[in-house]
Amino acid sequence: ADVKIGLVADSHGNVDYLVLAAERLVGQHAVDRIFHLGGGSRDVEEVIAFKKKMLRGTEEYGDDAFLADVADFLAASNEQAGQPDEISEFRKRWTVVHDDDDGAASPGEKLVDMVGSHIALALHDPTRVDADDLQNSVLILHGKLSRHGVVEKKKRFFICPGHLRDKEHDGQPASFAVLEVIPKVARV
């Protein structure tokens, strides 16, 4: 089956751009998943909080709203066991690569995942790719570079969505990517 993946990276606190990218990826491009490839991966939680605020129709989220959410959740759990809500479904779409910028004690993480029929490695810094990674992964999804693009090396595809830092960074405009994986084919 065809799979569409949204790719974002390097938001570095620019939650507004990340919200816009997520809305376009889900609404316009109908992606199945979104990978945040580091460089501000904490911003994803703020995007989810913003989505929750939009669904609630309020900018205020105090103790009363929290207690109301808990009560609604408990009531819904009893009534609709197994039926996920919109926020849960939105959260499940995200795969987040944590990196040094997130204050992690260890170096940036590497995630290996199946994307359609392809094994993908997701990480922030492409210089951390080693021989094992190249042997095991066909798609290398990474951030850190301001310039978006795809580079093929020895039948391995390095895919970078660019950045979401600001309107422009290092002379490159803000960007994100949609990766469409068709069995035995990948198209960006």
Side-chain angles (χ1 to χ4, degrees):
D2 298 358
V3 177
K4 279 189 179 179
I5 304 296
L7 303 174
V8 296
D10 297 292
S11 49
H12 294 284
N14 193 340
V15 177
D16 292 341
Y17 275 32
L18 189 54
V19 166
L20 292 172
E23 287 176 356
R24 288 192 65 194
L25 289 167
V26 172
Q28 182 179 349
H29 297 287
V31 298
D32 302 298
R33 296 172 61 195
I34 302 172
F35 280 73
H36 190 295
L37 301 170
S41 53
R42 286 187 205 170
D43 300 340
V44 172
E45 285 304 317
E46 289 191 46
V47 170
I48 292 168
F50 177 79
K51 177 91 169 164
K52 184 181 260 187
K53 285 180 189 177
M54 295 305 293
L55 288 173
R56 292 182 58 81
T58 178
E59 288 297 317
E60 296 297 321
Y61 192 76
D63 292 339
D64 292 339
F66 173 74
L67 292 174
D69 276 352
V70 170
D72 291 346
F73 173 76
L74 292 173
S77 296
N78 292 334
E79 294 171 12
Q80 306 170 347
Q83 290 186 6
D85 63 85
E86 191 171 342
I87 293 298
S88 296
E89 289 300 307
F90 184 70
R91 182 183 297 277
K92 286 180 191 175
R93 287 180 192 259
W94 290 87
T95 299
V96 179
V97 174
H98 298 280
D99 59 66
D100 301 331
D101 292 347
D102 294 333
S106 61
E109 72 181 333
K110 297 177 180 179
L111 300 176
V112 177
D113 205 335
M114 288 300 294
V115 175
S117 58
H118 301 283
I119 298 174
L121 170 70
L123 74 165
H124 183 240
D125 186 351
T127 64
R128 294 196 58 246
V129 174
D130 59 31
D132 286 340
D133 297 330
L134 290 173
Q135 184 174 356
N136 297 321
S137 304
V138 174
L139 302 172
I140 293 91
L141 314 173
H142 67 87
K144 195 162 184 164
L145 304 178
S146 296
R147 183 178 192 85
H148 64 279
V150 178
V151 174
E152 180 188 0
K153 290 184 180 177
K154 298 182 180 181
K155 296 189 180 184
R156 302 296 182 256
F157 296 89
F158 290 76
I159 304 167
C160 180
H163 72 90
L164 291 173
R165 290 175 191 246
D166 205 348
K167 188 175 183 179
E168 190 174 301
H169 180 73
D170 289 342
Q172 297 297 317
S175 60
F176 59 88
V178 176
L179 171 63
E180 185 175 3
V181 178
I182 301 166
K184 307 288 183 191
V185 178
R187 176 173 51 213
V188 180

